[in-house]
Amino acid sequence: MSRDPDEPEVLIEDGKLVCPWPNCRAVNNIVELDVASRENVLSLSENGVITAHLGDSSFESDGYECLACNRAVSIPDSHEITHS
């Protein structure tokens, strides 16, 4: 599989995720970006305040990024991401 050169693979060094960009190399600052869709039921309280009740939601991964340099990165194919 060919990688996008604008999304270099995250480095794993001493059990830590390291930004692969040479002028960054931040440690443990990698985040998953996602897009969420959510349905929140609205209601009107007795004092006239509209409240949103958190409802069903679904998330799709949109990529990965280093928080320190705000540049796109990729996750090594040898590693699986588990959401908790």
Side-chain angles (χ1 to χ4, degrees):
M1 174 182 192
S2 171
R3 291 222 172 260
D4 183 337
D6 292 332
E7 295 181 3
E9 212 171 79
V10 168
L11 304 172
I12 298 173
E13 297 176 355
D14 297 322
K16 297 179 177 130
L17 300 175
V18 179
C19 178
W21 292 97
N23 58 347
C24 181
R25 306 276 297 160
V27 176
N28 287 336
N29 275 289
I30 305 301
V31 296
E32 178 182 27
L33 305 174
D34 61 33
V35 177
S37 175
R38 191 168 58 195
E39 293 180 1
N40 299 325
V41 176
L42 300 180
S43 65
L44 187 61
S45 68
E46 290 181 19
N47 60 0
V49 174
I50 298 174
T51 58
H53 304 277
L54 298 181
D56 293 335
S57 59
S58 63
F59 299 87
E60 291 181 33
S61 181
D62 198 31
Y64 306 93
E65 182 177 278
C66 173
L67 284 177
C69 66
N70 298 315
R71 287 184 280 185
V73 298
S74 64
I75 300 300
D77 289 336
S78 59
H79 286 76
E80 181 180 336
I81 295 180
T82 310
H83 295 90
S84 57

